[in-house]
Amino acid sequence: MRSIWAGMLTCSAVLALAACGETVDESQSGTGENTIELAEFPDRPYWGDTHLHTDNSVDAFGFGVRLGPEDALKFARGDEVTATTGMSAKLARPLDFLVIADHSDGLGATRRLYDAPRLGVVAMGDETLLRWYDMMHEGPQQSQQAIGELITAAANGELPEALADPEQQKEATTEIWGAHIDTLDRYNVPGEFTALAGFEYTLMPDGNNLHRVVMFRDGSDRTKQVVPYPGLSTQPEGLWDYMAAYEEATGGKALAIPHNSNLSNGLMFELTMPGGGPMTVEYARKRAQYEPVVEVTQIKGDSEAHPFMSPNDEFASFGNTGWDFGNLPLTAQTTPEMQRGNYVREALKRGLTIEEQIGVNPYAFGMIGSTDSHTSLATGDEDNFFGKHTGNEPSATRAPAAQNLGTRIGRFGWHYLAGGYAAAWARGNTRAEIFDAFARREVYATTGPRMTLRVFGGFDFTAEDWDGDWVRAGYTRGVPMGGELRDEGSAPSFMISALKDPDGANLDRVQVVKGWIDANGTAQERVYDVIWSDMENRARAGGKVPTVGDTVDREAATYTNDIGTAELRATWTDPDYVEGQRAFYYVRVIEIPTPRWVLFDKVRFGIELPADTELVSQERAYSSPIWLQPSAGDS
């Protein structure tokens, strides 16, 4: 039985490996250190996706994708590929880096099941596995139904043993992982394109999303010494211990990136230990050490903020529709109180509260975006959206159709976002430099557009700094996004620079989101409009900046840049500073309204959509925070 199941690679995979016997040099197989000339300071944002699935993921293959890691890497670096459904697919602009994050549980399992002889599956004696096998062979619709059932079974702890038992998967996982690492090395070219090793850890108790993407800094000499850590029957502390053991054994480095906290039903960012009880210092330290970054936006919604916690924030509802009423497979509804553990801004505030109590902040993380695409196509562009999985690649029916990751009805195609991207401020494009930017949190998230956002915090920045080498001033007299300031008894000041995507929409405004602990020990928040376009004619009214307007043509899926501005730059000082206050500050950049992928589909296919379909949005970027810590005498 093992020879049919655990040890089997598909013929196509074997042929692909045989065809890829190219040699790689040490610069490609290593970290990229000492291979290219590096800038003195991080000189530009490098754009990437750290959360992409290929046909090695159990669900992606079952949903229909037939593109593997090699196609994914080709597409990300800018090559044209053929999508599973037969359409040509190409990025308008290549990415700089990619993490293929296939699910660690059952790596390649549905592909092996699909290619196995039916008699071999019958001999395994598992009726559920056989039924899924038959459904996968009946056609795309039945295959998607089978994977929907599989996801629900995983949520309920009812997976067939052949899919759930890591020992039965180990031999195949080792072989697939090794081949995957070799493929990454072949496409990793320091200075041009970075291919980082990683996987998705898929813990999902009762359907509540506690997933993480694990990302390695290292080359194949180290990453081949381990296999991906299983998620379904473990706990995050076990994942952190796995990462610690990896670092101890190899001298390498790894980090984890929580994602889709919006679907965790309050479990991702708890105030207590998992299961209750005060959070321990050891737990908080481990989490802070191994999870320095969080994925705040992606295809399955945006996790920055929610109107329930932020009723005074007019931009807090972005990407919430369809995602805020239940967990991942919709096996349990989300109550209002659960929302506090679902969203990143609230988690940042909770981190301050916990730090005030125990001296360690478990939620001091930077922010990135990514796609979570299951098509092998890493695109977060509205006009080039290939869907969550092959079942909703471009078609006339995908926007209004029910699109659920489980078997329940309630979410529809148009609820999906086009995805997001991660921007890393680095000195060069190598594995080491990209990883290190994540580790020090000098990264930011966008919902797809590639605007350039730079933030420095300090205590003596003024408007005159813009006239000189302001980047050098930022690094030498302050800290970049992701950094920490120690209270010096005066209000912190921030240099904020935002440039529009050169191929995209103008900017509406720049905001600073502040969270702090007040004198009563209560976490507070406030959103400040710092600078906005056409300030002379858009004076505040009732404390609010008027809306920027809307140039979107709903009949043609176009817009103009007649409103907004290409650049917004400001030096901002906290007007509500209180000495000794524990606080964080992050920057949110808002674009003018632009068409969503749904509107592009409407025009492209000539379809009518329900009246409540959201056709237009204001896309955005989120910087990693800068934290203000009490002075040494106050902490």
Side-chain angles (χ1 to χ4, degrees), residues 522-544:
T522 303
Q524 305 285 356
E525 68 172 63
R526 183 172 178 182
V527 179
Y528 300 85
D529 287 306
V530 172
I531 188 170
W532 54 95
S533 63
D534 196 17
M535 292 183 73
E536 290 184 3
N537 297 312
R538 296 174 66 199
R540 296 180 193 270
K544 295 289 187 180

Side-chain angles (χ1 to χ4, degrees), residues 31-33 35-36 38 190-191 194 196 428-435:
T31 63
E33 293 170 288
T35 60
I36 64 171
L38 300 176
T194 294
L196 297 120
N429 191 7
T430 67
R431 285 170 172 167
E433 288 296 315
I434 298 298
F435 181 97

Side-chain angles (χ1 to χ4, degrees), residues 73-81 89-91 187:
L73 291 158
K74 286 179 179 178
F75 179 82
R77 74 177 185 182
D79 297 355
E80 182 174 309
V81 302
K90 192 175 190 296
L91 284 171
Y187 283 85

Side-chain angles (χ1 to χ4, degrees), residues 186-514:
R186 289 190 297 104
Y187 283 85
N188 183 57
V189 182
E192 296 181 21
F193 180 79
T194 294
L196 297 120
F199 63 87
E200 180 170 351
Y201 167 82
T202 317
L203 177 63
M204 194 168 59
D206 300 320
N208 301 318
N209 187 91
L210 292 176
H211 299 186
R212 274 90 165 157
V213 167
V214 173
M215 171 176 160
F216 295 93
R217 184 181 192 267
D218 311 302
S220 52
D221 60 329
R222 288 170 172 159
T223 53
K224 278 189 175 182
Q225 296 183 44
V226 294
V227 294
Y229 185 74
L232 290 175
S233 59
T234 61
Q235 294 297 323
E237 286 184 272
L239 176 66
W240 306 331
D241 289 343
Y242 159 89
M243 296 162 71
Y246 166 80
E247 294 179 348
E248 176 70 22
T250 69
K253 293 182 180 178
L255 58 81
I257 308 169
H259 70 84
N260 276 125
S261 55
N262 60 330
L263 299 174
S264 74
N265 270 356
L267 297 184
M268 186 67 85
F269 305 125
E270 295 181 283
L271 274 169
T272 65
M273 292 289 289
M279 188 174 291
T280 66
V281 171
E282 180 184 11
Y283 179 92
R285 281 180 177 157
K286 275 188 177 182
R287 184 156 188 171
Q289 178 179 355
Y290 290 109
E291 298 186 356
V293 175
V294 67
E295 183 184 292
V296 70
T297 192
Q298 61 132 277
I299 281 175
K300 299 195 300 295
D302 191 276
S303 301
E304 185 236 353
H306 192 281
F308 177 75
M309 286 81 68
S310 304
N312 297 321
D313 181 359
E314 60 197 300
F315 293 99
S317 61
F318 180 84
N320 293 162
T321 306
W323 302 104
D324 60 354
F325 60 85
N327 62 5
L328 183 60
L330 292 174
T331 54
Q333 290 188 341
T334 302
T335 66
E337 189 56 32
M338 289 176 181
Q339 302 290 17
R340 297 190 182 279
N342 281 359
Y343 288 87
V344 169
R345 187 186 301 174
E346 190 69 17
L348 290 167
K349 289 157 59 180
R350 286 184 164 192
L352 298 181
T353 298
I354 294 168
E355 186 176 26
E356 193 98 330
Q357 295 168 350
I358 67 174
V360 180
N361 185 344
Y363 304 137
F365 36 60
M367 291 190 269
I368 61 156
S370 281
T371 66
D372 193 13
S373 169
H374 284 54
T375 62
S376 293
L377 306 175
T379 170
D381 305 326
E382 300 287 343
D383 61 354
N384 195 26
F385 179 54
F386 270 82
K388 165 69 176 178
H389 53 76
T390 56
N392 56 14
E393 288 188 9
S395 72
T397 58
R398 67 173 178 168
Q403 298 283 353
N404 302 300
L405 296 179
T407 57
R408 276 70 179 173
I409 301 299
R411 294 187 177 122
F412 298 92
W414 68 267
H415 291 150
Y416 286 112
L417 304 185
Y421 286 132
W425 282 102
R427 298 180 300 163
N429 191 7
T430 67
R431 285 170 172 167
E433 288 296 315
I434 298 298
F435 181 97
D436 290 350
F438 275 66
R440 67 176 180 267
R441 304 176 297 208
E442 198 173 352
V443 293
Y444 63 96
T446 84
T447 57
R450 302 190 196 185
M451 63 274 280
T452 299
L453 173 60
R454 197 153 213 177
V455 183
F456 292 101
F459 294 101
D460 63 354
F461 294 138
T462 67
E464 285 70 36
D465 284 310
W466 298 111
D467 297 330
D469 188 346
W470 63 273
V471 171
R472 180 176 296 277
Y475 281 111
T476 57
R477 291 171 27 220
V479 298
M481 64 176 75
E484 294 185 0
L485 295 170
R486 183 67 71 173
D487 193 351
E488 295 184 357
S490 61
S493 55
F494 300 85
M495 289 194 294
I496 305 168
S497 172
L499 299 173
K500 71 178 285 291
D501 181 331
D503 295 340
N506 275 345
L507 307 179
D508 169 12
R509 68 187 72 192
V510 166
Q511 300 174 310
V512 169
V513 179
K514 177 185 177 182

